[in-house]
Structure formats: C-alpha cells, structure tokens
Amino acid sequence: MPISTEQLAKAGVVGAGGAGFPTHVKLSAKADTVVINAAECEPLLHKDQELILHYGDRLVEGLRRAMEAVGAKRGIVGIKRKYDKVIAHLQKLLLPGMEIGPLDDVYPAGDEFILVYQTLGRVIAPGAIPITVGVVVLNVETACNVAVADRTPVIEKYVSIAGAVQNPCTVCVPIGAPLSVCLEAAGGANIDDPAYVVGGAMMGFLTADLSMPVSKTTGGLIVLPKDHFIVQRKSWDWEKAARVGRAACDQCSKCTELCPRYLLGHPIEPAKTMRSLGFNLSMEANTAGSQFCSECNLCSYCSCPEGLDPRRVNAQNKQRIFKEGKRWTNPPFDPERAERLMSFRKTPTARLMQRICLTQFVNKGPLLEARPNVSSVEILLKQNVGAAAVPVVKIGDHVRAGDPVAVRPVVDGKTALGVDHHASIDGIITAISDRGIRIDRQ
C-alpha cells in the first residue's frame, strides 16, 4: 500500500538534514524525479554514509515510497564519487528507475540547489524551490524514516560526533536525549575546556549547554578548542562583523566569484552586500540580493582573503528585508551562468578543511552498535518548519516509546503546518513547558 501524507505527518517525519520541513507536504506534490541528498558535504560528518552502509535497504524503500507518492519515474541518490565503498553497496540494492548521481567532493554539494543542478542540470530560480523544476529532494535519514513511517514514528536520531573527541563516531540516540549523551558515546573530549558546535562546522552553531536536547534536525556535535578558527568566527557578534567589514573590505569580489548561488545565476553578490555596511537602504540593488543567500558560510570562512564575514551581513540584511515586509519579486536571473562558470569555480572539500583548520582531526565516524542508555529526554514542541506542536499529555502520565505526546495545532478550523511528536523512551511525564515535554524513564 502506498504511504499517505497523513501517515507521514502523524509519524512526525520532517527533513532530518536541514530546517526540518514537514515531509508530508513535500510528498503531496507531483514531480518527475526524487533526489536523495547523500552529499553530506559538511566536513567531519558521516552519519548519512553510515546509514547507507547499515540500512541501505531502508533508504531504497523510502526512495521507492517517495517516488510512488509524487508519481516520479526516476530516483537519484546524489553521493560523492569518493565514497566508492558506499556506492558499490548501494548499487546492488537499487530498484528499476533508480540510479547513483555521482558528485564531486566539493562544498556545498549538499545545498539542494547545487545538488539538483549537479544531478539533473536543472537550475532552480532564485526564491523558488526544487518542485518548481519537477524535483523533490529528501535527506538520507528522512528517506529512511519515510520507509517505516506506517509502522514506526520518528523517535530516534543519528548524530555524528567529531573533532577533539576520544573516538569520533556516529551514534543513534532517542530524540530529546541531551547532547552530553552523544559526547559520552564518543568517549568524551580529549582536550581541556572545549567548545561545542551543534551541526556542521560551516553552518552549525556554538553552544555551551550540553543539556540541550537532540531534535529531529540535529546532525552533528563537533568538539573544538576555544581558540580554533571556527569557534572564533562563530563567536563574532553583529557589531564586530559590521565594524571590521566596513573598515577592511577592499571589494576584491572573491566572495561573489566563488558564491555557489551566484554561480547558479542568482542575483546575489556578497561583495556588493558588503557595500551596504557603509551606505544604502534595504531593497536597493546591493542589499536586496541578500534574500537569496543560502548562508553556507563559504564566503566568510574560505573565500574572503581578509577574513571578513559577508554571510553574516547577508543574514542581517535578510532579516531587515523580511521585517520590513519587502521582497524582491521577479529578480534578474542568468541560468546560463552555471554552465559558463560552475565547473571552474568549485571549492574542493580538502582545500576547505585546510582553510578552516580541520585537517588535524580524524575524518571518520563509524556507527556504534551499542545505543546509549538514556534516563530522561525532553521532546521539543517545535522541531520543524511551521507551528509548534500542542501537548496531548499531562504531568504524571505514563507513556511508551512511540506514543504521541504533542500534535499539530488546529488554527481557524485548519490543521497548521507541522507534524506530531512522540515519546522516545518508556517513562512518565515529569514536566511540560512552552519549550518541551520531559519524560523520565522508570
């Protein structure tokens, strides 16, 4: 039986590799191709490759179901050529209509705009989404969740733990488990007074709170010294980024010439964005293009020879544009630019890792067979794009793993955009807040 979009929503399936867009909405469209994003282009993260090696059959079933849901005749797994062992394993499992889409080892190959271009040669217009070119993109872990959504809700998460740890690895933990459990699974930090990056080194964020619960979109935990380049750059506040950028930008334009979205023909030019630090208001030409920034951080961490932060300037401008209720509609678009320039201006991952000082760390993350014993979890009410879920339990209730604990709200008689969330361990509800629901194991 085909899986229904309602089953996906009730099972709590969202994009596991990014913003957490509800998967049932994606699969309610019609497309000719489903692309699995197995690029995993963030340095040091390996969970998607480990999932394919250990659960490749589940990935293929999820891809089959997704293709069936949207009416696609073609399924592509976009994966880097260098993962030859993973490709050889997966190739044996693919069904008719499915194929491998080999990718170069560059950053950001996992950006879905870049992925769609590299696998299909289709350019998504600025401000648009993959379905506008007939494509649905799913992350590896998302597809695995689709495969079992009619039997098992999303209650587990795979997380890579990397950097300055005793044993870099990938671990499966209950959703809502504290980040400290992930760190313990890797043997703990092997340095004193470390800093922690949640997500990838490029697009993740700093935290000092290892009690933070793992969500459906948590993909990695990277441990770094506090004086590391990545930590220092992520520690910049807006005032410092603006002050240094205003004083030091010499308009060399390298940030623009290597910007992945610019190379696709989008009207984003980070060098012009930097000019907005000194003058111009939002929605003038050099600022309006900020709304098309993917915030991949390539310009800030790799391209700029002065070590400035164009990504943060773009992000600040985006916030200002949206706050003012303005949007650049029908922007100029040069889709032929990708064919002219993209192949000559890719950023190799090896070069990127040197640039951001990650070559000293072990670049492996084997999946641990043993799963950590977790005594309590906090199920966040908002783990995805859309509305926060509404609790359907009360303090003192006993729950079993897989029981619904929060559901999509109904607003003006309509179910809001979102998904349901579930208990990830057996236990008792001990706290409910605006943030989440705490479950203690009994």
Side-chain angles (χ1 to χ4, degrees):
M1 288 287 293
I3 193 163
S4 71
T5 54
E6 183 62 17
Q7 284 175 315
L8 292 172
K10 285 181 177 275
V13 184
V14 302
F21 192 81
T23 304
H24 69 280
V25 177
K26 279 191 176 184
L27 297 189
S28 65
K30 293 300 176 185
D32 59 61
T33 307
V34 175
V35 176
I36 299 298
N37 187 349
E40 199 158 42
C41 62
E42 279 275 10
L44 301 182
L45 300 192
H46 294 274
K47 74 176 183 69
D48 288 349
Q49 314 314 316
E50 292 298 316
L51 277 170
I52 294 173
L53 285 173
H54 290 83
Y55 303 104
D57 54 345
R58 189 181 300 177
L59 168 64
V60 170
E61 174 61 12
L63 175 55
R64 185 196 68 77
R65 287 186 164 195
M67 292 170 63
E68 184 178 45
V70 301
K73 301 298 183 184
R74 188 179 185 188
I76 301 175
V77 181
I79 186 170
K80 293 179 179 178
R81 291 184 181 85
K82 71 174 184 178
Y83 295 122
D84 51 355
K85 178 182 177 182
V86 179
I87 291 174
H89 172 73
L90 184 59
Q91 191 76 61
K92 301 174 184 177
L93 303 174
L94 295 180
L95 301 174
M98 300 179 184
E99 63 191 88
I100 300 293
L103 306 172
D104 293 336
D105 187 16
V106 298
Y107 182 84
D111 173 77
E112 64 181 11
F113 281 58
I114 303 297
L115 180 67
V116 168
Y117 178 73
Q118 295 291 349
T119 55
L120 288 164
R122 303 177 191 177
V123 179
I124 303 168
I129 56 178
I131 195 61
T132 60
V133 293
V135 183
V136 166
V137 179
L138 297 179
N139 171 269
V140 168
E141 191 172 359
T142 307
C144 289
N145 290 334
V146 169
V148 298
D150 54 346
R151 305 189 302 276
T152 306
V154 181
I155 60 173
E156 296 178 330
K157 191 72 182 72
Y158 290 85
V159 182
S160 287
I161 304 93
V165 294
Q166 297 292 343
N167 300 297
C169 62
T170 298
V171 63
C172 180
V173 298
I175 286 175
L179 289 173
S180 57
V181 169
C182 299
L183 182 60
E184 290 166 7
N190 59 15
I191 57 173
D192 295 328
D193 196 24
Y196 307 101
V197 176
V198 180
M202 295 296 286
M203 297 184 71
F205 60 90
L206 286 174
T207 186
D209 180 14
L210 288 184
S211 68
M212 177 184 297
V214 171
S215 77
K216 293 178 180 180
T217 60
T218 305
L221 177 66
I222 301 177
V223 181
L224 297 169
K226 286 189 174 176
D227 62 354
H228 190 274
F229 170 83
I230 291 293
V231 177
Q232 293 299 307
R233 293 306 303 272
K234 290 186 184 296
S235 299
W236 279 25
D237 57 22
W238 165 242
E239 288 73 18
K240 180 175 182 178
R243 183 180 69 255
V244 176
R246 187 181 301 115
C249 180
D250 58 10
Q251 287 293 296
C252 72
S253 296
K254 287 187 178 179
C255 56
T256 293
E257 299 302 333
L258 296 176
C259 171
R261 293 292 178 90
Y262 169 79
L263 293 174
L264 282 176
H266 291 197
I268 174 171
E269 299 184 53
K272 289 185 177 179
T273 299
M274 294 298 286
R275 298 179 195 171
S276 69
L277 293 173
F279 48 87
N280 289 319
L281 302 174
S282 65
M283 297 314 293
E284 293 195 4
N286 62 352
T287 305
S290 295
Q291 66 187 273
F292 306 118
C293 174
S294 67
E295 300 189 36
C296 71
N297 256 325
L298 188 64
C299 56
S300 296
Y301 290 1
C302 187
S303 305
C304 179
E306 302 291 343
L308 308 182
D309 203 347
R311 195 283 306 175
R312 192 181 297 266
V313 181
N314 273 318
Q316 190 77 7
N317 283 345
K318 270 206 289 191
Q319 293 177 15
R320 185 155 50 113
I321 290 167
F322 294 153
K323 185 176 181 180
E324 293 176 3
K326 298 175 180 177
R327 193 170 185 86
W328 194 0
T329 57
N330 299 315
F333 177 34
D334 180 12
E336 295 181 359
R337 187 186 295 154
E339 186 175 352
R340 295 196 310 269
L341 300 179
M342 181 70 78
S343 62
F344 304 106
R345 297 188 184 177
K346 296 176 182 178
T347 301
T349 302
R351 172 68 182 123
L352 176 65
M353 290 185 68
Q354 289 181 333
R355 177 75 171 174
I356 61 177
C357 308
L358 292 180
T359 55
Q360 62 183 297
F361 301 112
V362 174
N363 193 16
K364 295 181 179 179
L367 178 63
L368 300 183
E369 291 186 10
R371 300 190 177 188
N373 182 30
V374 179
S375 59
S376 66
V377 296
E378 182 184 6
I379 308 300
L380 298 178
L381 296 177
K382 186 170 175 58
Q383 303 185 51
N384 49 267
V385 170
V390 177
V392 292
V393 292
K394 61 183 183 299
I395 293 175
D397 283 352
H398 292 262
V399 294
R400 295 188 64 82
D403 289 347
V405 295
V407 301
R408 295 161 289 166
V410 176
V411 180
D412 296 330
K414 296 182 178 180
T415 302
L417 177 65
V419 297
D420 298 351
H421 301 311
H422 306 77
S424 58
I425 61 173
D426 299 344
I428 186 171
I429 307 295
T430 57
I432 300 175
S433 68
D434 291 340
R435 188 175 92 154
I437 300 169
R438 182 184 173 91
I439 304 171
D440 289 342
R441 191 185 294 278
Q442 286 192 306

